[in-house]
Amino acid sequence: MRLNHFLNLLSLVLLLLSLVTASVIYSFLYLPAIEQQVLQKQQKELAVVQKGIEFSQRNLETLCYDYAIWDGMVDFVESTSEDFIQSNLLDNTFEAASLDGFYVFNKQGGLVWHYAQSEDYSPQHLPQSLEGFIGKILPADTVFSQKKPSIRNGLINMGSKLVYFSNVTIMPTSGMGDIVGSLLVVRELSGKVQQEITELSLVNFHIIKLAPQFTAPHMQDFRSPPNVDELAPSHAWIIKDVLGNAAAEITVTHDEGQLPSIFTFESLLMFFSVLAMTFVAILPLSLLVLRPLRVANKVLTKMARRGVLLRMPTAWRIDEIANLTRSFNLVVDKLERHQNYLESLSFNDPLTGIANRRSLEVFAPRAQEQWREGKGSIGFLMIDIDYFKKYNDSLGHQAGDQVLIRIAQALMVECRRRGELVTRYGGEEFCVVIQGDNIAQMKLLSERLLKRVRELNIYHEHSPLEIITVSIGGVFYPPFHPQFEQDDWQTMIGLADNQLYVSKQAGRNCLNIKYQTVHPLALVGE
């Protein structure tokens, strides 16, 4: 055999051996690992869509909660007022919040007032005749005796529309007291909502409304939770409404839906090309291509494991890889801005920029816990703007909004130390949490707040002093004693609110503080 023939034969044997080896490795090692990775990725995509839908619904629940747990809404249910409607229930407000329906019910389930974005969302399209409407959509009779907030949410069919809904019992701003009715808000599960969730989750999916009597026993419920058992380009599940009926079909389209095959024309061509170039290009290929891919895979793996957003290095010699990593980093920046924006919406008041009631519900329990651990004193102040309704009625709500902003800023100037938090409690009311070691200093802070608002010198023709003033009620507790074991932060806010009422009765523009003391004869366990 001639040398060149031997070399040709050896080359052919090496090619065949490489092909067989690659096939064995692919079939028994690589293919199962890739299949598991793709399955995990499809499962993660499904989980991201679930979280996106849940977040969209929580946003609706938060909006409904803020309207329902409000003294003004309680008064409106008990005695409807056109002034209240013109001041607080404007169409453009609901349009800005993407609400399609807003329905106020009394305790008997009677409709007090409603807003409908179009005829499709009129009250007659609500499934009031269906069993379960009272209890699963509107509160059951037993809820009204509990005197605490109660929430229901989910999906319902309104005629030809499939909508999210959230229902919250209507009660005082304090979250305690008599329930006078309930508030129901709806938002259509439209293409716009789906597009927003798709942009947020970066996963393609679509939802189709089903016929009323649709049955699909072989399909999983999307909230069960569903699971991806086998690879497919897309997976479909049903979404049940709050009454247990199949309301919609959701289909998630995956980026990777099938395993690559080594026996395609393209894969074989790639195999022989790579084999021919291996001896001349392995080193530059490793430095210029494989290393950036390894770095990218490392970053993506850390992101998946830690649940945080990371950026990739961009200093690569190949322009396309550098541009790709820069584009990836731009997407990460945009996602971080969206994440920060959504977090700020959850904890900051959109008008004044200060902490909102949800922030108070996070901060106050922590402050109470530290107080119970013996870390100083604690106090709560309730602040209400005097004659604010008259100010709004005479100068308009835009002027009233500016007053709220200026007063919030003035309160923030005084309460900037560690352990102090100013929150907008609702309407023209503010709540201040104070942690300190000296009750005398806490009282001085309260007096400074009263004085600071007067020094704003905002003209108010309907006020006896012709300027904007506030009334303050508060309660101060000394360092923790077992005598205060039953007093939680909600109780403290209630006591401060009582003192605010005293300030109002005393003529406004004043401060009343209740000082809680330890009784000398109080025994532990009494």
Side-chain angles (χ1 to χ4, degrees):
M1 182 180 292
R2 300 179 60 176
L3 179 60
N4 58 336
H5 293 167
F6 175 78
L7 292 176
N8 292 334
L9 179 61
L10 180 62
S11 299
L12 180 60
V13 170
L14 288 175
L15 285 174
L16 294 175
L17 183 61
S18 299
L19 180 59
V20 171
T21 303
S23 300
V24 171
I25 293 175
Y26 179 84
S27 301
F28 295 97
L29 296 177
Y30 182 74
L31 189 61
I34 289 296
E35 181 178 8
Q36 188 62 31
Q37 291 179 9
V38 175
L39 273 173
Q40 292 176 355
K41 182 177 180 181
Q42 292 187 353
Q43 188 68 42
K44 289 178 182 178
E45 291 174 345
L46 173 60
V48 168
V49 173
Q50 284 182 301
K51 293 295 183 183
I53 293 177
E54 291 174 4
F55 176 82
S56 177
Q57 189 161 350
R58 282 200 303 271
N59 184 27
L60 184 66
E61 177 184 327
T62 299
L63 184 63
C64 183
Y65 187 95
D66 289 341
Y67 267 102
I69 309 301
W70 180 22
D71 292 338
M73 187 60 70
V74 172
D75 296 337
F76 178 70
V77 173
E78 294 177 343
S79 177
T80 57
S81 166
E82 187 63 25
D83 290 341
F84 182 88
I85 295 173
Q86 295 300 322
S87 301
N88 302 281
L89 305 177
L90 300 177
D91 289 0
N92 55 4
T93 302
F94 299 136
E95 292 171 1
S98 299
L99 291 182
D100 296 311
F102 187 98
Y103 314 91
V104 181
F105 293 89
N106 57 26
K107 291 176 64 173
Q108 293 73 35
L111 186 64
V112 175
W113 184 87
H114 78 278
Y115 158 82
Q117 187 267 337
S118 68
E119 181 62 26
D120 293 328
Y121 305 99
S122 60
Q124 59 263 31
H125 292 300
L126 291 171
Q128 302 183 52
S129 60
L130 296 181
E131 181 179 358
F133 180 78
I134 301 297
K136 293 185 178 180
I137 300 176
L138 294 189
D141 293 339
T142 55
V143 172
F144 293 99
S145 62
Q146 297 176 2
K147 297 187 177 182
K148 62 181 181 181
S150 175
I151 302 172
R152 284 146 300 282
N153 52 55
L155 292 175
I156 56 174
N157 278 301
M158 288 188 66
S160 62
K161 302 294 184 181
L162 179 64
V163 299
Y164 286 132
F165 83 91
S166 183
N167 175 257
V168 180
T169 51
I170 297 174
M171 60 189 307
T173 305
S174 62
M176 297 179 292
D178 292 333
I179 298 174
V180 300
S182 68
L183 173 63
L184 176 69
V185 297
V186 301
R187 177 184 293 157
E188 183 187 1
L189 191 57
S190 61
K192 180 181 178 182
V193 174
Q194 296 179 41
Q195 182 180 359
E196 292 174 353
I197 298 175
T198 298
E199 293 175 351
L200 185 64
S201 63
L202 303 180
V203 178
N204 292 320
F205 74 99
H206 62 274
I207 297 176
I208 301 175
K209 185 178 183 298
L210 299 176
Q213 303 302 323
F214 178 84
T215 57
H218 63 284
M219 296 182 69
Q220 289 182 316
D221 184 0
F222 187 69
R223 300 178 184 272
S224 57
N227 188 40
V228 176
D229 297 322
E230 59 181 11
L231 292 181
S234 63
H235 289 90
W237 296 267
I238 61 170
I239 301 178
K240 293 184 178 180
D241 63 19
V242 72
L243 300 177
N245 302 317
E249 176 183 319
I250 179 170
T251 302
V252 178
T253 303
H254 304 289
D255 292 335
E256 295 181 16
Q258 59 185 5
L259 295 175
S261 173
I262 197 172
F263 298 105
T264 62
F265 173 78
E266 292 80 2
S267 62
L268 291 175
L269 181 61
M270 181 179 296
F271 172 77
F272 288 110
S273 300
V274 171
L275 185 65
M277 295 185 297
T278 298
F279 299 99
V280 295
I282 188 65
L283 184 59
L285 179 66
S286 176
L287 293 177
L288 299 179
V289 178
L290 297 183
R291 184 168 175 266
L293 292 179
R294 285 195 296 267
V295 172
N297 182 67
K298 186 177 180 180
V299 170
L300 293 174
T301 302
K302 287 182 178 179
M303 289 176 62
R305 290 178 178 175
R306 300 179 183 176
V308 296
L309 296 174
L310 300 174
R311 291 168 178 78
M312 292 185 183
T314 57
W316 305 112
R317 294 184 179 275
I318 297 180
D319 293 340
E320 286 77 5
I321 295 179
N323 292 335
L324 180 64
T325 54
R326 281 193 289 268
S327 298
F328 177 85
N329 291 343
L330 289 176
V331 172
V332 170
D333 291 339
K334 185 175 181 180
L335 289 175
E336 280 189 340
R337 288 195 298 270
H338 278 293
Q339 186 177 22
N340 294 335
Y341 174 69
L342 293 174
E343 289 179 354
S344 68
L345 288 181
S346 297
F347 292 99
N348 289 339
D349 178 55
L351 174 64
T352 62
I354 65 174
N356 62 9
R357 186 166 177 172
R358 192 171 293 272
S359 294
L360 174 66
E361 293 172 352
V362 173
F363 183 85
R366 295 176 183 172
Q368 174 190 324
E369 186 62 29
Q370 292 178 359
W371 171 67
R372 288 180 178 271
E373 293 172 355
K375 298 178 182 179
S377 305
I378 191 170
F380 286 83
L381 300 176
M382 293 299 296
I383 303 174
D384 187 80
I385 304 174
D386 298 330
Y387 306 105
F388 187 69
K389 185 177 185 304
K390 292 182 178 180
Y391 189 89
N392 266 347
D393 292 343
S394 60
L395 296 181
H397 289 280
Q398 289 184 343
D401 288 348
Q402 292 302 312
V403 168
L404 289 171
I405 293 171
R406 293 186 62 185
I407 290 180
Q409 292 172 346
L411 298 179
M412 286 290 293
V413 169
E414 294 294 340
C415 300
R416 59 182 181 275
R417 287 163 289 278
R418 181 181 178 87
E420 299 172 354
L421 177 71
V422 179
T423 65
R424 186 180 179 194
Y425 196 71
E428 66 270 24
E429 282 190 314
F430 298 87
C431 180
V432 180
V433 186
I434 308 173
Q435 291 178 271
D437 298 322
N438 190 323
I439 287 185
Q441 292 296 328
M442 294 164 66
K443 183 176 185 299
L444 288 175
L445 172 61
S446 307
E447 294 171 348
R448 289 200 306 271
L449 294 176
L450 189 69
K451 182 180 177 182
R452 172 71 69 171
V453 174
R454 285 199 298 259
E455 289 176 348
L456 292 176
N457 200 30
I458 302 173
Y459 177 69
H460 186 356
E461 64 177 335
H462 297 291
S463 172
L465 297 180
E466 295 188 346
I467 60 172
I468 289 288
T469 59
V470 294
S471 298
I472 302 178
V475 60
F476 291 160
Y477 280 74
F480 179 73
H481 185 275
Q483 176 185 332
F484 306 129
E485 181 65 33
Q486 301 301 319
D487 291 5
D488 56 15
W489 64 273
Q490 293 98 332
T491 301
M492 298 176 186
I493 289 180
L495 293 174
D497 198 48
N498 292 338
Q499 294 302 306
L500 174 61
Y501 179 78
V502 174
S503 296
K504 290 290 187 181
Q505 293 298 312
R508 297 179 170 84
N509 185 31
C510 62
L511 166 69
N512 276 278
I513 304 295
K514 181 179 179 63
Y515 298 92
Q516 298 290 66
T517 57
V518 178
H519 299 303
L521 299 181
L523 299 177
V524 176
E526 283 190 340

